[in-house]
Amino acid sequence: MSDKPTLAQYQQFIREENFKAYKCVDCGMVIAPPNGTCYGCGSTNMEWTDVSGKGKLISFTVIHIASEEFQAEAPYYIGIVELEEGTRVTSRLKGFDSEKPEDVTLGIPVLIDYEHAASGNVYLAFKPA
Ligand SMILES: [Zn+2]
């Protein structure tokens, strides 16, 4: 594949609400955000791939004090989600009460979604499945 993976392209897919990960043609490992080299076998023969959008919540934190750009959105969750395909992504979490982090359970199934933030940006997000 001639496409060089860039973070800019990855973010563009998210803005278009068309999330893609990067997949190794040789061993099938799926990586996100993209890296030019496969973590599994070292191959550089990789291509963009769609994912199921299903995952589970591995970890999360609540952002109360945000930088100026994100102040209007606080408090909000940032989570680490392990996709069904095996890769882990950092993502916004939506559909959870940000005042009640004690209600968020690790390991629960989540589904890909997108967060349209007050700043006008679109972020990768996951919501309870
Ligand atoms: Zn590989």
Side-chain angles (χ1 to χ4, degrees):
M1 184 112 183
S2 56
D3 265 5
K4 265 219 153 193
T6 62
L7 201 57
Q9 180 63 64
Y10 178 74
Q11 288 163 340
Q12 181 61 31
F13 283 133
I14 291 170
R15 274 194 295 275
E16 293 167 359
E17 302 194 11
N18 181 31
F19 179 81
K20 288 187 191 300
Y22 218 53
K23 183 179 182 178
C24 176
V25 173
D26 293 325
C27 78
M29 179 172 270
V30 173
I31 292 169
N35 184 303
T37 306
C38 175
Y39 301 136
C41 72
S43 170
T44 54
N45 189 16
M46 305 190 75
E47 62 185 11
W48 292 106
T49 185
D50 293 320
V51 296
S52 65
K54 295 176 188 164
K56 63 180 178 182
L57 185 61
I58 297 297
S59 177
F60 72 92
T61 188
V62 187
I63 307 296
H64 285 284
I65 312 296
S67 62
E68 203 168 325
E69 182 188 356
F70 303 112
Q71 261 171 24
E73 295 157 33
Y76 57 87
Y77 287 107
I78 295 288
I80 296 175
V81 171
E82 185 174 292
L83 297 176
E84 210 171 58
E85 289 79 7
T87 191
R88 290 182 176 189
V89 294
T90 302
S91 162
R92 292 286 187 99
L93 298 179
K94 59 192 281 190
F96 297 96
D97 184 344
S98 55
E99 304 291 343
K100 292 184 177 173
E102 66 274 16
D103 289 352
V104 181
T105 310
L106 294 182
I108 59 162
V110 288
L111 265 180
I112 199 166
D113 200 355
Y114 299 90
E115 173 78 8
H116 292 257
S119 61
N121 288 326
V122 180
Y123 301 103
L124 179 64
F126 281 82
K127 62 185 178 186

